[in-house]
């Protein structure tokens, strides 16, 4: 029986509390069916990709709709940003301030997703499950939280790793001997039409004293088009000249160690300058001396250099999973006699050690053949180190780069440098090497070298067919310094190493290397 207030009378005259009915508009959870262990897990997992879904299922409509609305707005904003951006625009993320912002945003999003999953799980009322279901769902939701936070944590880790590598490789202040620093908002390249980088492969190792610059290439890049000319200079180029502004000009007015008939090689300049700071006016002036010598030889102003330890380069190749290269003929490698193995002719995927020896092997070879192989290794790496490959192996690449790289490119120039690299990747790259029979390192014709360099630069921005027949014209990248005195071509003398390569007009790396 029940009385007026709805209470039920039981035998003995006692009253039982009335049953409560949900009030209209109540926000308390109301389930169509009791939730099972599987459904709690399913709705919690759905909340990871659609925040608010679990709250709606639990009857908390207001909270669920707010979460879904915020998520939709963020998703649409990210989609719009991605559609309006290309690879060139994304280079903004290499700036130090932007990197810090990315780390902060990734951390906030990781915590936000963790909170969404936990609150979704709690809203579903796991306490309604039996003890076994509560334990199982608690463990699996914890794993799900870790899985959802991992991409954000990985992003933050990648950015911090990149930031650390940048800090270690690129100096925070400009080189006092290099281009003047540019203020923010100004042209980062100082109004130039071209910029010239000296790319050096050094053979410094634990069992050697000093640095020998065995591989020397100049990348002359047109800032507007990205078209690039790679100039390869032989390590045994003898008696290079120095510009009047160089401290070594007075020491060697007739050329580097011109008094030595078989000495004064180009790959000795760096170490000589470092060994004689009293002549250079300071310590560690080897890069400046080499840039002066090579720039004066080509009549190009060398703006920046990048030294890469060739033994550490093997780690970099391994970091991207190896290099695919067309090997024209068998190359023995390992020591002076090639006892470690043979790289067979054909299309091969080389490990880091093999790629290093492919560019360095002297067995049945010569310096000029090595130069050609080294350019192919550089070209293959530039093509195959795609953004996808870099992201997939980012930590390994950053670690290897920190161990092997040295440069005078200041950190503030990194963003425009990356933008230029993106432009170069889709541009035309040609190559010019100064080797016999066109150019003799043992008796170089400096005027002829300069003429060839000027023509290669001028041709680089012409269509391929036109460049083959074009006349020599002035180039924006040529400096105004006086040329070395032109000498009457002499009978070529024996060079320190044999030659099986031919010099001549600049050719594309695809043509030379079959990339």
């Amino acid at each position: 029986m029940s009385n007026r207030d709805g209470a039920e009378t039981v035998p003995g005259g006692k009253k039982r509390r009335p049953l409560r009915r949900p009030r209209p508009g109540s926000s308390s959870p109301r389930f169509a069916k009791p939730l099972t262990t599987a459904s709690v897990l399913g709705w919690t997992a759905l909340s990871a990709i659609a925040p608010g879904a679990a709250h709606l299922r639990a009857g908390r409509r207001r909270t669920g709709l707010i979460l879904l609305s915020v998520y939709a707005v963020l998703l649409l904003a990210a989609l719009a940003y991605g559609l309006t951006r290309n690879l060139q625009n994304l280079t903004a993320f290499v700036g130090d301030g932007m990197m810090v912002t990315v780390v902060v945003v990734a951390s906030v999003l990781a915590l936000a997703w963790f909170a969404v999953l936990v609150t979704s799980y709690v809203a579903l009322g796991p306490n309604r499950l039996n003890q076994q279901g509560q334990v199982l769902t608690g463990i699996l939701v914890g794993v799900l939280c870790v899985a959802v936070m991992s991409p954000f944590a990985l992003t933050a880790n990648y950015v911090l790793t990149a930031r650390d590598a940048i800090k270690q490789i690129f100096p925070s202040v400009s080189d006092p001997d290099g281009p003047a620093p540019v203020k923010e908002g100004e042209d980062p390249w100082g109004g130039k039409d071209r910029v010239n980088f000296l790319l050096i492969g050094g053979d410094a190792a634990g069992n050697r004293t000093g640095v020998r610059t065995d591989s020397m290439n100049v990348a002359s890049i047109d800032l507007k088009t990205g078209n690039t000319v790679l100039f390869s200079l032989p390590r045994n180029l003898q008696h290079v000249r120095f510009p009047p502004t160089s401290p070594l000009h007075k020491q060697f007015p007739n050329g580097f160690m011109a008094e030595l008939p078989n000495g004064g090689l180009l790959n000795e300049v760096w170490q000589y300058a470092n060994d004689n700071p009293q002549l250079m006016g300071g310590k560690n002036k080897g890069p400046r001396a080499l840039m002066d010598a090579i720039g004066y030889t080509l009549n190009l102003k060398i703006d920046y250099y990048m030294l890469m330890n060739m033994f550490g380069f093997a780690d970099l190749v391994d970091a991207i999973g190896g290099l695919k290269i067309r090997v024209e003929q068998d190359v023995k490698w390992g020591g002076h006699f090639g006892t470690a193995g043979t790289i067979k002719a054909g299309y091969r995927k080389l490990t880091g050690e093999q790629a290093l020896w492919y560019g360095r092997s002297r067995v049945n070879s010569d310096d000029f053949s090595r130069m050609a192989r080294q350019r192919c290794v550089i070209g293959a790496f530039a093509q195959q180190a795609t953004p996808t490959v870099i992201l997939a192996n980012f930590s390994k690449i950053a670690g290897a780069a920190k161990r092997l790289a040295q440069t005078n490119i200041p950190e503030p120039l990194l963003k425009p440098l990356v933008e230029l690299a993106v432009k170069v990747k889709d541009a035309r790259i040609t190559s010019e090497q100064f080797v016999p029979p066109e150019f003799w390192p043992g008796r170089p014709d400096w005027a002829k070298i300069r003429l060839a360099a000027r023509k290669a630069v001028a041709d680089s921005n012409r269509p391929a067919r036109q460049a083959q027949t074009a006349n020599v014209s002035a180039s924006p990248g040529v400096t105004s310094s006086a040329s070395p005195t032109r000498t009457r071509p002499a009978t070529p003398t024996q060079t320190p190493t044999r030659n099986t390569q031919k010099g001549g007009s600049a050719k594309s790396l695809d043509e030379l290397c079959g990339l």
Side-chain angles (χ1 to χ4, degrees):
M1 296 178 61
S2 61
N3 54 22
R4 293 180 179 179
D5 61 3
E8 184 179 357
T9 302
V10 296
K14 295 183 180 180
K15 294 182 179 180
R16 180 180 295 171
R17 298 181 64 183
L19 297 174
R20 294 184 178 180
R21 297 177 181 177
R23 292 175 296 173
S26 173
S27 61
S28 58
R30 293 179 298 175
F31 299 100
K33 294 180 180 180
L35 287 172
T36 63
T37 299
S39 59
V40 168
L41 289 174
W43 283 103
T44 305
L46 181 61
S47 297
I49 57 176
H55 289 79
L56 290 174
R57 175 63 179 84
R60 300 184 180 182
R61 295 184 177 85
R62 180 179 299 176
T63 303
L65 290 174
I66 291 175
L67 288 174
L68 278 174
S69 300
V70 171
Y71 176 68
V73 169
L74 292 176
L75 191 62
L76 289 174
L79 183 62
Y81 182 84
L83 292 176
T84 57
R85 297 277 169 167
N86 53 33
L87 191 58
Q88 193 76 259
N89 300 129
L90 295 179
T91 56
F93 287 94
V94 301
D96 187 66
M98 184 60 75
M99 286 186 174
V100 174
T101 301
V102 170
V103 171
V104 172
V105 170
S107 302
V108 170
L109 289 176
L111 294 175
W113 246 256
F114 174 80
V116 165
L117 285 179
V118 171
T119 57
S120 298
Y121 176 62
V122 172
L124 292 169
N127 58 331
R128 300 170 183 271
L129 303 174
N130 57 32
Q131 185 176 6
Q132 183 179 3
Q134 293 179 34
V135 172
L136 179 61
T137 56
I139 293 174
L140 293 180
V141 169
V143 173
L144 181 61
C145 288
V146 173
V148 169
M149 294 176 68
S150 295
F152 300 104
L154 189 62
T155 299
N157 180 65
Y158 274 6
V159 174
L160 289 174
T161 301
R163 187 168 181 262
D164 178 60
I166 289 170
K167 294 289 185 185
Q168 291 197 34
I169 296 173
F170 298 90
S172 57
V173 296
S174 298
D175 181 2
D177 295 327
V182 179
K183 297 180 180 179
E184 189 173 352
E186 297 180 355
D187 180 3
W189 306 110
K192 299 175 183 175
D193 294 316
R194 302 190 73 85
V195 63
N196 302 300
F197 297 91
L198 176 57
L199 310 176
I200 308 166
D203 64 353
N207 60 348
R208 294 192 179 194
T209 301
V211 176
R212 295 170 183 81
T213 54
D214 273 2
S215 173
M216 289 161 283
N217 296 272
V218 173
S220 181
I221 306 173
D222 184 280
L223 293 172
K224 183 178 180 181
T225 64
N227 288 347
T228 302
V229 184
L230 279 177
F231 295 106
S232 297
L233 293 101
R235 60 185 288 275
N236 59 338
L237 185 64
Q238 291 182 271
H239 311 317
V240 290
R241 313 293 178 90
F242 298 93
T245 55
S246 171
L248 293 181
H249 176 75
K250 178 186 272 187
Q251 182 74 12
F252 302 108
N254 299 318
F256 183 55
M257 295 185 181
E259 68 280 2
L260 302 177
N262 295 318
L265 304 184
L266 181 61
N267 75 329
E268 298 171 348
V269 171
W270 177 301
Q271 193 58 41
Y272 179 88
N274 279 351
D275 291 342
N276 295 275
Q278 74 283 359
L279 296 177
M280 294 298 299
K283 296 182 179 180
N284 301 319
K285 296 292 185 178
R288 172 48 50 193
L290 187 60
M291 291 167 70
D292 285 342
I294 292 178
Y296 198 56
T297 299
L298 301 177
N299 198 27
L300 294 172
K301 173 64 177 176
I302 307 297
D303 300 289
Y304 303 99
Y305 80 91
M306 172 70 81
L307 171 68
M308 189 169 287
N309 184 340
M310 296 183 71
F311 288 91
F313 180 73
D315 295 336
L316 201 58
V317 172
D318 285 332
I320 67 169
L323 283 183
K324 296 179 182 178
I325 292 180
R326 184 187 67 185
V327 180
E328 292 190 357
Q329 58 185 21
D330 291 358
V331 176
K332 292 183 178 295
W333 62 281
H336 294 287
F337 304 102
T339 55
T342 301
I343 301 171
K344 295 292 185 179
Y347 281 93
R348 305 294 176 197
K349 186 171 186 178
L350 307 183
T351 65
E353 185 178 19
Q354 290 173 334
L356 175 64
W357 279 106
Y358 177 73
R360 289 180 54 82
S361 177
R362 288 192 178 94
V363 181
N364 299 324
S365 185
D366 52 65
D367 278 346
F368 313 109
S369 299
R370 292 171 69 222
M371 286 169 56
R373 295 198 302 269
Q374 287 166 6
R375 284 179 302 147
C376 291
V377 169
I378 293 173
F381 187 88
Q383 282 193 356
Q384 295 169 34
T386 62
T388 303
V389 171
I390 292 174
L391 287 175
N393 305 279
F394 189 80
S395 296
K396 293 180 181 179
I397 293 173
K402 287 192 295 185
R403 293 192 298 270
L404 60 89
Q406 174 186 333
T407 185
N408 69 334
I409 301 173
E411 185 182 338
L413 199 62
L414 182 60
K415 180 178 177 292
L417 179 64
V418 173
E419 292 173 349
L420 183 61
V422 171
K423 187 180 294 185
V424 169
K425 200 169 187 64
D426 297 324
R428 182 167 172 251
I429 301 177
T430 54
S431 177
E432 175 75 65
Q433 57 178 346
F434 300 101
V435 298
E438 294 292 328
F439 306 94
W440 295 88
R443 196 73 174 264
D445 184 335
W446 306 113
K448 185 178 180 181
I449 290 175
R450 285 191 164 200
L451 189 67
R454 186 171 64 178
K455 184 178 186 300
V457 169
D459 288 350
S460 67
N461 280 330
R462 295 193 178 101
R465 292 182 180 179
Q466 183 182 356
Q468 294 176 1
T469 58
N471 295 324
V472 175
S473 61
S475 164
V478 179
T479 63
S480 59
S481 58
S483 301
T485 304
R486 181 175 182 124
T487 56
R488 184 164 55 96
T491 303
T493 57
Q494 178 67 34
T495 58
T497 54
R498 298 180 299 106
N499 173 44
T500 58
Q501 300 292 310
K502 293 182 179 181
S505 59
K507 298 179 180 179
S508 70
L509 286 182
D510 287 350
E511 180 184 358
L512 290 170
C513 309
L515 299 178

